[in-house]
Amino acid sequence: MSTFEITAVDPVCGMQVKLSSGLSTKYEGKTYYFCSESCRAKFEQDPADVLANPAASSCCSGHQPSGNRRQLDPEEAAGAVFTCPMHLEIEQIGPGDCPICGMDLEPKDFDPSAPEDDTQLRDMRRRFWIGFAFAFPLMLLSMGPMIGIPVNSWIGVGVNHWIQWILATPVVFWAGLPLLSRGAASFKTWNLNMFSLIMVGTLAAYLFSLFVLLFPGLIPAAFSEDGQLPVYFEAAAVITTLVLLGQWLELRARAQTGGAIRELMNLKPETAHRLDEQGEQDIPLAEVRRGDRLRLRPGEKVPVDGRVLSGSSRVDESMLTGEPVPLAKQVGDQVTGGTLNQTGTLEIEAEAVGDEMVLSQIVQMVAAAQRSRAPIQRLVDVVASYFVPAVIVCAVLAFLGWAIFGPSPKLAHAFVAAVAVLIIACPCALGLATPMSVMVGVGRGAREGVLVKDAEVLELLEKVDTIVIDKTGTLTLGRPSVTQLMPEAGWTADELLRLAGGVEQFSEHPLAQAIVRHAREQQIAIPEAEDFLSEVGGGVQAEVEQQRVAVGSAQYIAGRVDSVEASELDHAAEKLRSTAASVVFVAIADQYAGLIAIADPIKPSTKASLDLLHHQGKRLVMMTGDAESTARAVAAELGIDEYHAGVSPEQKHDFVRELKAAGRIVAMAGDGINDAPALAAADVGIAMGTGTAVAIESAGVSLIGGDLRGVAAAIQLSRKTMANIRQNLFFAFFYNALGIPLAAGVLYPFTGLLLSPMLAAAAMSFSSVSVIGNALRLRAARLTA
């Protein structure tokens, strides 16, 4: 943290508490923090009542706020942590300005259920239009004589100047108050930024003009022009108005990026049909709890994530996956909140509600990524830290140059040049260049089903040259089915399936689920199992009907059965594996009992997706725990450059690290717990959205649709976003590099051209508008071939 300590609000007493205090508890998936044990105890007695009546207790009323806590202001009562989109180390309770760059702080956690707060946007829009209403006639009064309007002849020069002062004062000190406040804060903390230059430039123009107005006799004759002393009220007012325009456009653009997320969340219905002893009841979505039975009629949106208990239908999941074809759903299948039920009636069991839902997790992931900073932004920050002091030095040099060598009136020209340099050099476009592109790019990816965790991942993706891919669930459908049972003598196929199913019912692996599903399809009762043990990448075992049953690879089973070698088991399965089938072996009571062949069809889109990645110049490597023959058959069918079979999770992890050590930029795509170490070790981990929570948590990119086309889309998104950032940086630097010499007056000796402060402000604002407009182009970027 830079200036603030991360804090939260005690829901019992309303005190602000440091998160590092350690006093916390979880309730309905959320973590709450407390200032004391007594507050935590009161919360745990009746959390629903406390949350319904926040800060109603007086348990801490006698405490003096000190150390870890203080009484909150009313506007802070919600306890929201706000952070700067450009400087994530800055956090505080409640809204405010960043002490480093002056930008408005944003809520750290996006709450889609909260009403959209556009207070800042409306305030900045109001300030701009009121500022414009005063600045426009002010500009006519000032510039009128130059364009043939005899203003001074009508009302006189003195009256003209006083009217200009009356019009300029509310613009500078009311409309421009946020700009002045941020500029003052920058000098207080010595974090000089764009608002430093705006404050110095506008106040210099305004105060000089006011001094001329009040004390004309004290102004040297060198400042007069055609016998008249110049005033620059119009420069101060128009500069302020143009900067407010830029701020308004920036806030509106940022609101649009959040609007896309809010639209996604609005896809959830407001009510659900709950089934209980009294029959069917319509209840608010917030009252749905895990385990509730819900009815879903044709044409309705799925209220929560759940599992189909009865019925069959087709569900349109295009809002999440981008796939236009509705998917068939039947008993046992998963449905996702916000998707659209089309043809049939379903009864579902709620499995994830509130913040646990896929949609809620998507929102939080996208919101966090939009706030994150790409490594290239660090370079921008370093440049900006030197840039602002350098501009101030340039302004001083410009003033001295004109004051010493300039034409008469020397001091007037010197003053105009110095103010113009300060204004045109405002690095607002420089500050917007990276975060605007990241915000829009991450939002665009989310619409395509590509969720990027942070900006660093977005920057790395375009550099990836090697993609390591898991087989099961990534290249294949991840829904394998049993194709053959080969029991040993003394066992029947049904017995082999029944006992193996008893063990595998506790495993998340797709092959395990295939065995359990096949047993149920054969109407074989799966027995209870106890003392379940799992060896990641090897196999599983449990006590079933008072017998130790193990299911897993040849090596795993051979290590538990003395009468058979792993090579013998592999030889027995060779023919099955040559057809791309996976084989698991079963041992019962320390005796080899047989094998089960399971085929996992390759996804229809896999071949085209890999061809697209090859076209992008990527080297593809498949790593799988399956046997050599199975891996070889799949690799040959898909045209994969390199494959490794029979690898453990540790070997996947080590291989990824070897590739990185060799200078490769590696992305790893996988979906299972066994892929998590490699996903974490890769430069970029890509988790299939259909995979396990552990895999998704370990990855930097999640593909909601579980389709490898999303990998190509993610790389394309990275390329377009980084190209957009570079274009923005060019706009920002180009305007400054061109504008500062012009404002300083380098062309005056040759052309007689001297840039006025107003034109400098217009050029500065135009650079910001160019950056914002260019970033918003990403919303229409095409990510797939």
Side-chain angles (χ1 to χ4, degrees):
M1 300 283 289
S2 176
T3 305
F4 304 99
E5 173 73 19
I6 302 179
T7 52
V9 174
D10 186 325
V12 176
C13 66
M15 288 290 185
Q16 179 177 322
V17 187
K18 293 181 181 179
L19 301 196
S20 57
S21 66
L23 294 175
S24 64
T25 191
K26 281 188 175 292
Y27 175 68
E28 291 192 344
K30 292 185 178 180
T31 302
Y32 297 89
Y33 296 85
F34 306 91
C35 69
S36 64
E37 284 289 354
S38 62
C39 277
R40 180 161 64 176
K42 282 181 178 289
F43 179 86
E44 291 176 345
Q45 285 176 4
D46 193 351
D49 181 66
V50 171
L51 295 176
N53 302 280
S57 173
S58 60
C59 71
C60 294
S61 60
H63 294 176
Q64 290 298 320
S66 62
N68 279 3
R69 58 195 180 199
R70 67 177 177 83
Q71 191 66 42
L72 293 176
D73 295 331
E75 68 177 1
E76 298 177 330
V81 177
F82 282 66
T83 185
C84 174
M86 287 177 59
H87 300 90
L88 299 183
E89 69 273 20
I90 298 299
E91 293 181 355
Q92 72 175 48
I93 293 290
D97 300 330
C98 175
I100 297 177
C101 66
M103 288 184 68
D104 292 316
L105 300 181
E106 298 179 343
K108 184 175 183 181
D109 295 317
F110 185 87
D111 184 3
S113 63
E116 186 172 358
D117 184 6
D118 60 350
T119 305
Q120 290 179 328
L121 176 62
R122 287 188 289 109
D123 179 65
M124 198 61 70
R125 181 176 60 207
R126 181 172 61 250
R127 289 179 185 274
F128 164 73
W129 283 115
I130 293 176
F132 177 80
F134 281 87
F136 184 73
L138 173 58
M139 190 168 59
L140 291 179
L141 288 173
S142 173
M143 308 295 290
M146 301 180 189
I147 58 176
I149 302 176
V151 178
N152 291 334
S153 301
W154 296 342
I155 60 176
V157 175
V159 174
N160 186 351
H161 287 179
W162 278 102
I163 296 175
Q164 288 187 41
W165 170 73
I166 293 171
L167 293 172
T169 300
V171 178
V172 173
F173 293 103
W174 180 82
L177 182 60
L179 312 180
L180 298 178
S181 299
R182 296 173 186 182
S186 72
F187 281 103
K188 184 177 179 180
T189 61
W190 208 243
N191 290 302
L192 303 183
N193 51 49
M194 58 175 276
F195 298 103
S196 314
L197 302 180
I198 292 169
M199 186 190 78
V200 171
T202 55
L203 287 184
Y206 179 88
L207 294 176
F208 171 80
S209 303
L210 182 61
F211 192 83
V212 169
L213 192 63
L214 296 176
F215 310 105
L218 300 179
I219 304 299
F223 269 92
S224 65
E225 185 172 2
D226 296 331
Q228 301 293 333
L229 291 173
V231 292
Y232 299 101
F233 288 121
E234 89 288 347
V238 173
I239 288 166
T240 299
T241 304
L242 288 171
V243 174
L244 288 172
L245 174 62
Q247 292 293 296
W248 172 32
L249 293 176
E250 176 193 335
L251 286 171
R252 191 172 70 172
R254 282 158 60 184
Q256 287 173 349
T257 61
I261 301 175
R262 204 174 290 275
E263 285 178 17
L264 187 63
M265 289 305 297
N266 287 339
L267 292 172
K268 291 190 300 183
E270 295 182 359
T271 60
H273 313 303
R274 183 167 63 189
L275 302 174
D276 52 27
E277 295 79 10
Q278 286 76 39
E280 181 178 317
Q281 296 181 8
D282 288 350
I283 61 171
L285 190 61
E287 294 182 13
V288 177
R289 296 291 179 264
R290 230 181 306 176
D292 284 353
R293 290 185 302 117
L294 307 174
R295 175 164 290 152
L296 188 60
R297 301 189 181 101
E300 292 184 333
K301 294 172 184 174
V302 180
V304 296
D305 297 354
R307 179 173 56 88
V308 178
L309 297 177
S310 67
S312 62
S313 182
R314 299 189 75 84
V315 176
D316 180 359
E317 297 186 339
S318 59
M319 52 157 288
L320 286 177
T321 65
E323 289 297 315
V325 180
L327 299 179
K329 299 291 182 180
Q330 54 190 1
V331 175
D333 288 341
Q334 300 293 317
V335 290
T336 304
T339 56
L340 180 64
N341 181 37
Q342 290 198 330
T343 56
T345 298
L346 298 175
E347 182 180 324
I348 67 172
E349 178 184 351
E351 294 185 332
V353 299
D355 292 343
E356 299 172 346
M357 291 174 57
V358 169
L359 268 178
S360 299
Q361 294 171 6
I362 290 172
V363 166
Q364 296 303 338
M365 185 183 296
V366 172
Q370 288 183 334
R371 290 192 307 270
S372 63
R373 307 170 71 213
I376 195 172
Q377 178 65 28
R378 301 188 191 113
L379 174 62
V380 174
D381 288 344
V382 172
V383 172
S385 67
Y386 291 101
F387 179 75
V388 174
V391 167
I392 294 176
V393 170
C394 287
V396 171
L397 292 176
F399 182 89
L400 293 175
W402 280 92
I404 296 172
F405 305 108
S408 181
K410 292 186 177 182
L411 292 181
H413 283 109
F415 180 77
V416 170
V419 171
V421 168
L422 290 172
I423 297 303
I424 202 169
C426 279
C428 46
L430 190 63
L432 291 172
T434 299
M436 278 301 302
S437 295
V438 169
M439 289 170 68
V440 179
V442 168
R444 176 68 186 92
R447 282 165 41 206
E448 202 72 28
V450 178
L451 303 184
V452 182
K453 275 191 177 179
D454 56 51
E456 184 171 4
V457 169
L458 199 59
E459 183 170 335
L460 274 173
L461 265 171
E462 71 162 352
K463 303 174 184 176
V464 166
D465 54 35
T466 302
I467 301 177
V468 178
I469 308 172
D470 173 54
K471 181 180 76 70
T472 304
T474 304
L475 296 174
T476 61
L477 288 173
R479 190 179 171 87
S481 57
V482 173
T483 58
Q484 194 166 353
L485 294 160
M486 297 178 62
E488 286 291 288
W491 298 96
T492 66
D494 285 354
E495 287 176 321
L496 186 69
L497 182 60
R498 183 171 63 85
L499 294 174
V503 179
E504 295 286 31
Q505 64 184 311
F506 297 105
S507 175
E508 54 81 32
H509 197 282
L511 299 184
Q513 294 171 2
I515 293 173
V516 174
R517 186 166 54 249
H518 188 67
R520 288 173 176 159
E521 289 170 354
Q522 298 300 312
Q523 297 184 340
I524 294 175
I526 298 176
E528 295 294 325
E530 299 177 346
D531 192 22
F532 177 82
L533 296 173
S534 173
E535 182 180 305
V536 177
V540 294
Q541 57 178 304
E543 198 77 23
V544 183
E545 296 180 348
Q546 299 180 341
Q547 302 177 94
R548 198 67 188 170
V549 180
V551 184
S553 65
Q555 293 80 3
Y556 183 78
I557 296 301
R560 286 154 182 78
V561 177
D562 295 332
S563 60
V564 67
E565 297 290 334
S567 58
E568 297 177 50
L569 297 179
D570 281 331
H571 180 73
E574 190 65 29
K575 185 175 180 180
L576 293 170
R577 287 171 174 161
S578 65
T579 62
S582 298
V583 178
V584 296
F585 302 88
V586 183
I588 303 173
D590 297 329
Q591 297 295 317
Y592 174 57
L595 61 81
I596 303 174
I598 303 168
D600 186 10
I602 293 171
K603 294 177 182 178
S605 62
T606 294
K607 184 66 168 68
S609 301
L610 297 185
D611 289 344
L612 184 57
L613 290 170
H614 270 137
H615 181 71
Q616 291 180 338
K618 311 304 177 187
R619 179 171 178 80
L620 305 179
V621 180
M622 182 181 74
M623 300 191 73
T624 176
D626 275 347
E628 169 78 18
S629 52
T630 303
R632 182 170 57 248
V634 172
E637 181 178 348
L638 297 176
I640 290 173
D641 301 309
E642 179 183 344
Y643 71 89
H644 297 266
V647 293
S648 65
E650 292 78 14
Q651 289 172 323
K652 288 183 180 180
H653 172 271
D654 293 343
F655 181 73
V656 167
R657 297 193 64 171
E658 288 172 11
L659 287 173
K660 291 173 63 177
R664 295 278 187 175
I665 307 297
V666 182
M668 166 72 190
D671 74 327
I673 290 177
N674 60 329
D675 299 318
L679 288 168
D683 293 294
V684 179
I686 303 173
M688 315 308 287
T690 51
T692 64
V694 176
I696 293 172
E697 186 65 27
S698 302
V701 177
S702 295
L703 307 180
I704 294 300
D707 192 324
L708 275 176
R709 283 178 296 187
V711 178
I715 292 172
Q716 190 73 350
L717 173 68
S718 173
R719 288 176 174 175
K720 289 182 178 293
T721 302
M722 293 310 299
N724 194 270
I725 288 174
R726 294 184 186 102
Q727 292 162 4
N728 285 347
L729 291 176
F730 169 78
F731 285 136
F733 281 115
F734 174 78
Y735 282 113
N736 285 326
L738 180 64
I740 290 176
L742 288 177
V746 295
L747 295 181
Y748 185 84
F750 312 103
T751 64
L753 175 65
L754 180 61
L755 200 64
S756 76
M758 282 189 298
L759 291 178
M764 179 270 294
S765 295
F766 186 67
S767 68
S768 296
V769 172
S770 299
V771 164
I772 294 170
N774 189 53
L776 291 177
R777 287 193 312 111
L778 282 172
R779 292 189 299 176
R782 185 179 180 185
L783 302 183
T784 53

